[in-house]
Amino acid sequence: MKVFQPILAGATIRDRIVACLGALIGIAVTGLVSRALLPGQAAAGLILTASMGASAVLLFVVPASPLAQPWSIIGGNVISAAVGVTAALLIKDPIVAGAVAVAASIAAMSLARCLHPPGGGAALVAVLGGPVIAGAGYSFVVSPVLIDAVLLTATGYLFHRFSGHAYPHRTAAVAQPAGLELTEADVDAALAEFGEPLDVSRDDLRLIAQTAASRAFARVSRP
């Protein structure tokens, strides 16, 4: 039964219900407003790009993730869509173009500090989305990708005013017992020893470690 256990640390049933509600509202608002803003594109299906579904998962399920912050969502989708359009124009074979688009979008997002997994989807849609998207060219990057990304992020920002989660995410401070202060160098050394990238910021990782150390110190210090 371990396969059915939660895979996100700190996740609760309430969090999952809130995430579902947020995704429902986020995608509905994004699609409805896009349709109202772009009536001429509704018939062509250029009002809601598929990568927004994946962006909504990050935005509403793990709003503290570095991959779900506003610049990650907007920059990641827009930059990746632009990379995808470029690959489609320069490379005739769609499979090769798709592979190059995804790889190049990862590089571009990394350089721009807006790594966002759905960006890979935006790049692939720009290549394999069919004749309508191919005909749109670079306008696809602005409409619908940029418009959708901004609307979804704005909806997430407003939704999280009431969800109990701070968004954009801010790392709080925590008091530490004397002699237990963790430095950035300690965190970097631990990450290097762990040897795997984690979907959590260094500041949050340090905060979690400090809080756990403080609780452990308080427990063993009790008479």
Side-chain angles (χ1 to χ4, degrees):
M1 298 299 291
K2 290 183 67 175
V3 70
F4 297 108
Q5 293 179 357
I7 59 174
L8 293 177
T12 65
I13 294 296
R14 176 192 177 278
D15 289 330
R16 297 293 75 82
I17 294 173
V18 168
C20 293
L21 178 61
L24 172 65
I25 294 172
I27 294 298
V29 168
T30 300
L32 291 172
V33 174
S34 292
R35 187 169 65 185
L37 292 175
L38 309 168
Q41 293 186 192
L46 288 174
I47 59 170
L48 190 60
T49 187
S51 64
M52 292 304 118
S55 294
V57 174
L58 288 169
L59 175 59
F60 296 105
V61 176
V62 283
S65 168
L67 306 179
Q69 300 313 296
W71 172 234
S72 295
I73 294 175
I74 297 172
N77 276 295
V78 169
I79 289 172
S80 297
V83 169
V85 172
T86 302
L89 292 173
L90 296 178
I91 303 172
K92 298 304 181 183
D93 187 318
I95 301 302
V96 175
V100 170
V102 172
S105 70
I106 293 172
M109 288 187 289
S110 298
L111 290 173
R113 297 178 61 82
C114 58
L115 190 63
H116 186 61
L124 206 54
V125 167
V127 175
L128 303 176
V132 172
I133 291 177
Y138 283 105
S139 66
F140 171 72
V141 177
V142 176
S143 175
V145 175
L146 174 60
I147 292 173
D148 285 351
V150 170
L151 286 171
L152 183 66
T153 303
T155 304
Y157 174 83
L158 293 174
F159 179 82
H160 284 306
R161 302 277 72 74
F162 307 96
S163 72
H165 298 289
Y167 185 83
H169 180 64
R170 296 288 185 272
T171 302
V174 60
Q176 302 177 82
L180 283 180
E181 182 175 358
L182 299 177
T183 67
E184 290 186 6
D186 294 328
V187 175
D188 288 341
L191 285 170
E193 185 174 339
F194 188 71
E196 294 286 349
L198 301 175
D199 185 11
V200 61
S201 70
R202 279 178 168 79
D203 288 340
D204 282 344
L205 191 60
R206 181 181 177 187
L207 175 63
I208 293 167
Q210 288 175 350
T211 303
S214 295
R215 288 183 173 275
F217 182 84
R219 185 183 70 252
V220 299
S221 298
R222 294 192 193 103

